[in-house]
Every structure is written in C-alpha cells, then in structure tokens.
Amino acid sequence: VGTQDPENMGTGVPASEQTSCAKGDPQVYCPDNAGGTEAGQVTDCDSPEDNRPLSEPGCSNPQDCGQLMASYEGKAKGYQVPPFGWRICLAHEFAEKRKPFNANNISLSNLIKHLGMGLRYLQWWYRKTQVEKKTPFIDLINCVPLRQIYGCPLGGIGGGTITRGWRGQFCRWQLNPGMYQHQTVIADQFTVCLRREGTTVYQQVLSVERPSVLRSWNWGLCGYFAFYHALYPRAWTVYQLPGQNVTLTCRQITPILPHDYQDSSLPVGVFVWDVENEGDEALDVSIMFSMRNGLGGGDDAPGGLWNEPFYLERDGETVQGLLLHHPTLTADTTVTHITAFDPDSTGQQVWQDLLQDGQLDSPAGRSTPSQKGVGIAGAVCVTGKLPPRGQCRLEFSLAWDMPRIMFGAKGQVYYRRYTRFFGRDGNAAPTLSHYALCRYTDWEEKISAWQSPVLDDRSLPAWYKSALFNELYFLADGGTVWLEVPEDSLPEELVGSMCQLRPILQEYGRFGYLEGQEYRMYNTYDVHFYASFALVMLWPKLELSLQYDMALATLREDLTRRQYLMSGVMAPVKRRNVIPHDIGDPDDEPWLRVNAYVVHDTADWKDLNLKFVLQVYRDYYLTGDQGFLRDMWPVCLAVMESEMKFDKDQDGLIENGGYADQTYDGWVTTGPSAYCGGLWLAAVAVMVQMAVLCGAQDVQDKFSSILRRGQEAYERLLWNGRYYNYDCSPPPQSCSIMSDQCAGQWFLRASGLGEGDTEVFPTPHVVCALQTIFEFNVRAFAGGAMGAVNGMQPHGVPDRSSVQSDEVWVGVVYGLAATMIQEGLTWEGFQTAEGCYRTVWERLGLAFQTPEAYCQQRVFRSLAYMRPLSIWAMQLALQQQQHKKASRPIAEQGTGLSTGPKLGPKEAMANPK
C-alpha cells in the first residue's frame, strides 16, 4: 500500500447482491415473523420466556421496567430481532446524569487520610503529562465524561475495535492498542434512498444527529420510530420509515465465537440490511455507507490520505469495495461508490449524486492524496429491487488491516493474531471483507448454537440473558491485544521448567486486556481473578496463555527503585516469586516492563499470590489439562512460600498490614481479615489438592497442618455468629459486613471443592453470612435495587470509613451472586445481581461501558471495566448446580446444600441443557 506500516479499512458488498434481493432462489421472499418481537414496552416478567410469579428466582418488577422503550411509537418489530437482549428506543433520554468520581466526592476525613497520596499523585501526574508527554495510566484529573451513547463494538478479539452507538453513530475507537478516542465522526453514516417508478421519493441519513457539517444531507431522523437491540456479539437497529410503508432492519455481526481461535481474532464487522416493503408498489432501495478516512483529528491533518476502489473475485464470490488508506487508520467499501468527498463541507455533491438515481458515480482509479488540513471521506452504495410486499437483503462489511503494532515505548514490533491467517503485508482488507461476507452466516449459526441453551432456558430471567452476553463486549473492547509470540522472546532459563509454555504461547498467542478503559494496565491480576471466568469458559487456551505469561513475570525481577504514591516509600518495581499487579501499560512496553501500577508496592499485597494459586487449580479443574498443572506447580510453591511471611504469629492464618494491601486499594485492612484470610485458607486447601495430584506427600502434610490451624484461627478470630468480621481492627471498622467476604469459598466451589471432605468454611456459617449480606448490603441499601454495597455496618448504615467501602463494585456483586447460587440461595443471587444490571444498563445509561463502581448517589468510577465479566461465574454456578441435580438421588433434590458427586474436569463446561 506504499507505507511501512499500512493500515487499511474496508467496507464491502458482494457483487452478487448488487441487483438481487437475497442469495438463493427465489430472490424475493416474505419476512419470517416467527423471530420477531412485540414492539411496545418490553418487561422481563411479561416476556414469553419469563412469565412466572415474582416469588420465583430471578424475576422482579422494578418501576423502570420497560422505560427504555416507553417512547417508541412505531409498530415495526423488525426482521428476526430476538426476544432477549438490551433494547432502547432511539428517542430515549436518560434522566439521570452522573459524574465521574473525583476529589470533590471524598469526605473530609478521607481527604485528610489521603492528603499525602494526593500531593504525590499531582507531582507524578505533572511529570508524566508535562515532562514525559505521556498519558497517565490512571488520569484522575481528566476522567472520561459521561456519554450515554455506546452500543456493541465491532471487531474480533485483539485486532482493535470500533464502537457503533445505539443511535447509529460511530463513536469510540480503539485501533491503537489500549488507547481510546472517544469521538463521533459525523461522516460515518448509513443513508437510505427510496425510489418509485424512477423517481426518488425519500432520502434520509439514518441518524438522529443534526450536525454543523454536511448540511446538504437530510439529518434528524425521527428517533421515536426506531429502536436498537443488542445481544453481543450481534446488534439490530430497526427503522420504521414514516409514510413509506418500509421497515429497515440493520443487523451488526462480529465474529466472537467461543473456542474459535481463528475467526474470533478478525478485525471485521458485517452489516446486513433486511428491507421490508409493506406497500403495494414496487420499490428500489439503496443503502449508502459513508466513512471518513481517519477521525478528523490531528492524525489526519498532515494530509496524504487517499482512497481507491477494489474488486476481488474468489471461490465464485465477488466483492467490491473502497479502500481508505491512512498512515494510522483503515477502511474498505463496495458496489457503486464515490471515491472521495470533503467530510467537512456541506456534502451537496454526494447527496445530489445519490438523489439523482439512487446510485453513486463510481469514478475509476485512486483519489488524489488529501492536502494538509483537508479531510477526505468515501462512500459505497448498494441497490436492490423490491416487488410489492417483498423483501431484499443488502450486505456490507467493514474491515481494518493494521497488522503491525508498537506500544507506546516503540521498543518492539508485534504482529496481531489474525496475521497468521491473512498475512502481515497490510494489504488484507479486501480479503478480510470477502471472507467476512462469505462466512457471516456460518458465524451466526455458531453464535446461535452457543447462546440458544441460555436464551431458551425458561428458568432464567430476561435481564440475565442480556447481561450475560452483553457484558462480554469487554473481551474485545477492553484495549485488547492478541499477539503472535516471537520465538526469541521466550527466555530459555525460564521456559525449560514449563514444558507447555512454548507450545501454548506459540500456538495460541499472547493475550492482554486492560483493567479498564480508564485504568490502563494489561491483565491486572487481582481484577482478572473475577473476570477470568469468561475467558476460561469460552476461550480456555487464552486463559492458559495468560497464566503462563503471569508465571514468567512472577519468576523475574526488576530491582529499579521508584516511589509509591500511597506510602511515599521507595521500593523495587518487581520482586522475584511475587505475582505482579499487572503486565504493563500499553503506552510503555507491556510484558517487558510490568507493574505500571504505582499507587502501592504490590509485593506486599496479600491477595495476588493467593489468587494465582486459586486460578491455577480452577483452570486445571475446568480444562482437565494436567500438563498445565504440572508446569504451574513449582510456581505455586514459590508464591505460597513468599506468602508465608505474612503469617507472623504462625497460627496458620495470614495478617493484613494495616493499610489497603489487596484489591480494595483504598480500604485499610488490619490483622486477620475475612477477605484475605478466606483467600489464604482456600489457597492452602488447593495446595493440598495439588500436592496429592503431583505426588508430593511432604507438601501435602505441610499444608494440611497449616489448613487445620488456620481454620481454627479464622473461625475464632472472625466469626461473630452471623458473618465474618471485616478484620481484627477496633470497632466499628472490624464489624463492617463485607459483601466479598466469601470470595475464598466462591473459588473453592467453582473448582469442585469446599464441601463434604474438602469443606474449609463451615457450610452453615457460609450460608448465614450470605443471608446476612443479602439482608444488609443488598436489601437495606438503596431499597434493594442497586446490588450489594461493599461494606455495611450492622446497624444498617453503609460503611463510609473509606472511599471504597460505600461503593458498589459490579464485578464483585456478580461474583457474590455466583456464590449465593453455589450455596443454594439462587433467588437471592438473582435479586442481588439484577440490581446492578438495572442500575447500569437501564437507569444510568452505561451500556457497553459498565463501570468498576458507583455510589448510591451522584457518581460512578472507572468506565468500561474488566471485573463485571465475573457474571460468567454465575453461569458456571448454574451449570454446576444443574449437573448436581441431575446426578443426585431424587430425595435429595431441592435442598441446595447436597454433598452429592462433585463435577469432574471438563464436565463443568457442559452446556446447561
């Protein structure tokens, strides 16, 4: 393409669709209404799959039920729009406008506690932004503002993403790894043109926007006659064109395919337009897809951008399109086209071209390179003929080819995963477009086969079906990279002790995703602990790859000293045999330089080592990979040996250090604690199991002894008769009811342990603690409608002793709900989790940007966060629960606390059906 690191986008339409309505014979067909849904207000309890009394698990009747569709005035159901997912009328306006958490939201007492940290952060922020000219990994000064606009992102895993908002705008871009641009590009639009008897009767940009550019275009679509429906990785937008007897259904498809390690990596999306002519006259319909070359910012200003048409015939299928060549971005388009127009002008030339005959002029050859400061855009158009009462289908693809990447430090060139299948030369956009348009029906069949067991399960509430799949957006849109691993990048001295490390990394690549779009650190491990359920259940090889990378990082050290912001202490970046907090910052050089996090010295954190051990065993249990377990066994021994020093009185139970030394990095913990103590006992119990599997009798005896002593200390020091105290500090802090106090038990049960012969925490105590959390942290907080607050005092007031104890952490709540389901409290689990979904997706307008946290009022914190992927732990708990019911005697069913046969490796992965 003429550049060293070519990056090309493509929007394509198969030539076979230019004149025919749909593939196959006959070409005109009637819509199949069987897949449609009623278009009025949609409520979970009224849906056909969830029509049961409120007393049954998972069903509720909040006041806001159906409010997102309350303004929809159209009657169109759309073509085969599924009954389940997140649905919103394009005219909807969210009443509540929250703000990002900042210093103004900190109480005076907490402000005084963190004054030193605040001053050090300001100094660090100034040096980072003004001296180094870098973006801080957490920017507390310039938080991403609230924009209630996002929809399903386009693009597979690790190739970059483009987000199309629910009103139809292209508005969030992550094409450079881990770095986001939150801006709407006005020229990126779909436009419809209707013609009857050779005359254009209707032409409309399918956008509710009214911009100051391209003013010759017909903007301001009436949003009351359109709705958006998301069930990731697909989305539907239905437009009922007033007065035209025409309904358009745009279906957006991305190849997110569980257990698929090829197509899931592709940087493509497909738009399928099903056009229904409900009138008695024949009709010509044209859909024009316009796209700016670039985002209109500083990257475009130097000029030199150019577009050209392409034509590709392969395997009997022809695709035509438009390539947008950009030194940092890409695109590809089809059929009749206009190669170049100015997206900052009135746009009259393009508009009149389409208006004249429903087609574009299609000039041959490449465009002239853009001049400095002048934008350039292109457009493609597909036309189909509809007889009276007929239907046609028009297909577009959008592909971007950015094969080579460099992180911010520009120290090493990497190739994205998809280049293994489509080459590294930067000329793959036409081939990607062709492949996507030929394969998307196969992708949809696989998506349906994966999702149907959940969607067809009448025992599951509709909100859960939406949350389970839509929260998966973060696996692709979490700044995600999926890279080929160079042979020479794996150190021999470390690889030799792990037999499967090299084969796993070289076969399945290297995977990284951010803690959050605003918290820019790859594979933040204390948070991945929660999110990892989605990865190990759907792409287990990527989970194993991540674990091998974490093991490598654990065995390394970086003794460079730096100042930590919370304590002000100078300490090394990374110590040997300690799990790193994260694998690095995409604006630096991740994997080579780990621990971008500088708030705390996490070598003294109490949870990271334990979470590694617990995840290793769970991953072994769910995959059955014994080679993985053998490789990880020495690393687990090393990190547990490192952890031993935190048991200062040798009672078998570790102590926290009197500061925020775990994932709750703003919530001080002193002495033995429910959270870290529970994780410790669970990890010790897991070490006993691994020692048996690895034939290490001495290790088994050692950890069995620690476990017995630790259990006694944990119950004696922390159990108060109703729940486990937060820690062993003086009251009132120690009395706080922590929603996450059973995290250790959660992982044990997910790993087939924690009951019967492998019981660590007395089952009656666990159930009582969960019931207490439900009573106080859930029902006594915000009327029971916002999930579980992190900390609650026993007299019914949220714990405001820290900046995090009175927050709701969405990912923690989903993990808590999974724990409740594991212990037979299924109704309570669904009630708890539903509060988070309703708050985030329906009340606050934070769809496809689920935050880490929100408070009862006013604020949220850290948009688009990793931890809510933990909702897949709920699905695992349901599958394990169903497996138990199927395998236990009838007389035992329904107790919820059976000690029946444990799930074996791989069996837990079975579909619910």
Side-chain angles (χ1 to χ4, degrees), residues 110-332:
N110 283 320
L111 197 61
I112 293 171
K113 289 179 189 175
H114 295 98
L115 187 59
M117 188 270 185
L119 294 174
R120 284 185 288 272
Y121 177 83
L122 289 174
Q123 292 174 335
W124 174 84
W125 182 90
Y126 180 84
R127 183 174 67 252
K128 179 68 68 173
T129 59
Q130 305 303 311
V131 179
E132 300 177 19
K133 304 299 182 184
K134 289 281 192 177
T135 306
F137 76 96
I138 297 179
D139 194 340
L140 300 178
I141 310 298
N142 300 297
C143 296
V144 175
L146 174 67
R147 298 181 74 201
Q148 298 160 314
I149 63 172
Y150 296 114
C152 280
L154 290 152
I157 298 173
T161 47
I162 299 172
T163 297
R164 186 168 184 251
W166 52 269
R167 286 194 173 104
Q169 67 278 65
F170 290 81
C171 52
R172 185 168 66 197
W173 310 78
Q174 189 263 136
L175 297 175
N176 295 320
M179 311 301 287
Y180 285 81
Q181 291 168 288
H182 299 83
Q183 59 195 89
T184 297
V185 181
I186 292 299
D188 297 359
Q189 300 290 345
F190 285 102
T191 298
V192 62
C193 174
L194 304 181
R195 292 171 59 80
R196 293 187 175 93
E197 299 181 350
T199 302
T200 298
V201 296
Y202 182 87
Q203 189 162 300
Q204 172 72 48
V205 183
L206 295 171
S207 170
V208 297
E209 306 261 1
R210 297 180 182 274
S212 58
V213 296
L214 301 175
R215 286 189 287 183
S216 292
W217 296 16
N218 189 24
W219 297 90
L221 174 80
C222 181
Y224 293 97
F225 290 87
F227 69 86
Y228 178 84
H229 184 97
L231 188 65
Y232 188 75
R234 295 189 290 176
W236 294 255
T237 311
V238 177
Y239 306 88
Q240 183 176 353
L241 305 182
Q244 301 301 317
N245 287 324
V246 171
T247 298
L248 309 176
T249 303
C250 176
R251 186 165 81 258
Q252 173 185 314
I253 305 145
T254 288
I256 299 293
L257 312 168
H259 306 284
D260 180 302
Y261 297 91
Q262 175 176 318
D263 288 6
S264 294
S265 72
L266 302 184
V268 298
V270 175
F271 297 98
V272 179
W273 289 81
D274 286 294
V275 186
E276 299 172 75
N277 180 8
E278 294 144 4
D280 296 323
E281 300 178 73
L283 176 71
D284 290 344
V285 59
S286 299
I287 301 289
M288 180 178 75
F289 186 9
S290 57
M291 179 159 275
R292 182 173 191 139
N293 190 335
L295 307 187
D299 290 342
D300 305 348
L305 316 181
W306 52 282
N307 306 338
E308 67 170 332
F310 75 86
Y311 179 97
L312 178 63
E313 183 176 3
R314 179 177 292 177
D315 301 326
E317 293 286 350
T318 300
V319 170
Q320 288 180 273
L322 193 69
L323 290 168
L324 312 186
H325 297 272
H326 193 293
T328 54
L329 288 175
T330 78
D332 177 53

Side-chain angles (χ1 to χ4, degrees), residues 785-843:
M786 293 183 74
V789 67
N790 281 340
M792 180 68 89
Q793 290 294 327
H795 54 281
V797 176
D799 180 349
R800 296 191 172 90
S801 64
S802 78
V803 294
Q804 293 175 337
S805 51
D806 67 344
E807 291 182 324
V808 175
W809 287 11
V810 180
V812 167
V813 173
Y814 288 150
L816 168 63
T819 314
M820 291 175 170
I821 293 169
Q822 289 169 342
E823 303 299 333
L825 303 174
T826 303
W827 181 83
E828 290 85 348
F830 275 104
Q831 288 286 313
T832 298
E834 181 177 2
C836 279
Y837 175 81
R838 300 289 186 193
T839 300
V840 170
W841 290 78
E842 296 184 350
R843 175 178 155 193

Side-chain angles (χ1 to χ4, degrees), residues 112 162 172 191 306 310 316 350 494 504 567 583 599 627 776 796 874:
I112 293 171
I162 299 172
R172 185 168 66 197
T191 298
W306 52 282
F310 75 86
V350 183
L494 298 179
I504 287 283
S567 65
I583 219 72
V599 178
F776 284 85
M874 292 180 64

